[in-house]
């Protein structure tokens, strides 16, 4: 039983890997023409397919949309009952059918042609109804399915998925699609948070921003830090400019030596050369500054403006809470 399971699994992977490997020979002038057609499209890419091809088509449309190519999936059955109204003459329709004879797909081709949209066929048969009706043809044919009965779409769907990814990545490369643009379409994801969140989005400001004058006592600073709960306070001079930072660590270490320290002026005990950051910086940049500080990382950063006025403060926990890691 164990040997049979392993044998079937290995054979499946071998067949499907071979199917994808053979696609390399299909990256020809026809493939380039199909990609160029999408690049020239002024509207959307509409992906359609039935059954397993439809599932692959949904993934393709999602990949296109998230990588700079406006796209959506249209079920061919629903298309025949009204959804074709979503297709315009400026669209490119990618129709997927390994056989090229899927009834639901073939039936909507004349209407798409009448609308005036361009058709790209992804099929294993150029001489099929789909292949003949298309403006461009992308060959996804396979020699055999991994299914021992030769019935369940396996190698063919894998090949279709891989070719769809090849089209999407080719479009990205030609368009010079950036990670910042990718983040724009994925604001809820980890990459989006890293590339879209600025220090201004996560810093404590206004009444939440702990600030103490350099002439105030350590006791005053301690009360301010306790009230704000950030374990530090920006120290300013008479003009309101940042001249240092005082932390609960500084106070704890001094208290361990002499309790009279609480009456000492903040300006005499503060750290006079703190790391700072601007509010326009990316939140990920703040994390990098904190982590790279030597001899050990810091947990707070004063946020200053162009005049060195502390407009906020950012704490490591704020960044971790936002997933900027």
């Amino acid at each position: 039983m164990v040997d049979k399971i392993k044998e079937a699994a290995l054979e499946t992977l071998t067949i499907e890997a071979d199917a994808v490997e053979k696609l390399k020979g299909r990256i020809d002038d026809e493939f380039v023409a199909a990609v160029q057609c999408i690049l020239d499209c002024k509207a959307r890419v509409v992906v359609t397919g039935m059954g397993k091809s439809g599932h692959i088509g949904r993934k393709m449309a999602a990949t296109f949309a998230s990588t700079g190519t406006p796209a959506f999936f249209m079920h061919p059955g629903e298309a025949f009952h009204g959804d074709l109204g979503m297709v315009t003459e400026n669209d490119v329709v990618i129709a997927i059918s390994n056989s090229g004879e899927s009834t639901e797909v073939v039936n909507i081709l004349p209407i798409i042609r009448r609308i005036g949209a361009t058709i790209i066929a992804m099929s294993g048969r150029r001489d099929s109804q789909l292949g003949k009706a298309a403006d461009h043809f992308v060959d996804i044919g396979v020699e055999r399915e991994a299914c021992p009965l030769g019935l369940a779409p396996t190698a063919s769907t894998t090949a279709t998925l891989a070719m769809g990814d090849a089209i999407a990545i080719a479009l990205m490369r030609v368009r010079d699609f950036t990670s910042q643009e990718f983040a724009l379409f994925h604001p809820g994801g980890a990459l989006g948070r890293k590339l879209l969140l600025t220090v201004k989005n996560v810093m404590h400001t206004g009444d939440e921003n702990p600030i103490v004058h350099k002439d105030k006592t350590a006791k005053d600073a301690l009360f301010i830090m306790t009230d704000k709960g950030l374990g530090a306070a920006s120290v300013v001079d008479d003009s309101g400019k940042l001249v240092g930072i005082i932390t609960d660590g500084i106070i704890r270490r001094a208290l361990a030596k002499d309790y009279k320290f609480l009456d000492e002026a903040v300006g005499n005990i503060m750290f006079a050369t703190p790391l700072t950051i601007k509010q326009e910086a990316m939140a990920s940049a703040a994390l990098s500054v904190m982590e790279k500080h030597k001899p050990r990382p810091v947990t707070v950063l004063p946020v200053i403006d162009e005049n060195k006025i502390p407009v906020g403060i950012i704490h490591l926990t704020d960044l971790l809470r936002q997933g900027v890691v």
Side-chain angles (χ1 to χ4, degrees), residues 8 15 26 33 36 44 64 106 125 139 147 152-153 156 158 186 205 257 268 307 311 321:
I15 293 172
R26 323 273 176 78
Q36 187 62 55
R44 296 85 41 85
F64 287 150
V106 170
R125 291 180 52 207
D139 190 354
C147 169
S156 59
T158 299
H186 299 75
T205 188
K257 298 177 181 179
N268 296 334
N307 298 314
V311 294
R321 192 178 299 116

Side-chain angles (χ1 to χ4, degrees), residues 212-217 220 235-236 238 264-267:
V212 62
H213 190 278
K214 65 182 180 65
D215 293 337
K216 292 291 185 178
T217 66
D220 296 324
V235 183
V236 298
D238 292 336
E264 188 78 27
V266 170

Side-chain angles (χ1 to χ4, degrees), residues 1-17:
M1 176 68 74
V2 173
D3 290 342
K4 195 170 186 178
I5 291 173
K6 289 183 177 180
E7 181 183 353
L10 289 171
E11 183 179 3
T12 299
L13 294 176
T14 299
I15 293 172
E16 297 198 0

Side-chain angles (χ1 to χ4, degrees), residues 125-137:
R125 291 180 52 207
R126 189 185 303 273
D127 61 350
S128 63
Q129 293 186 70
L130 173 58
K132 292 176 180 177
D135 299 288
H136 302 282
F137 183 84

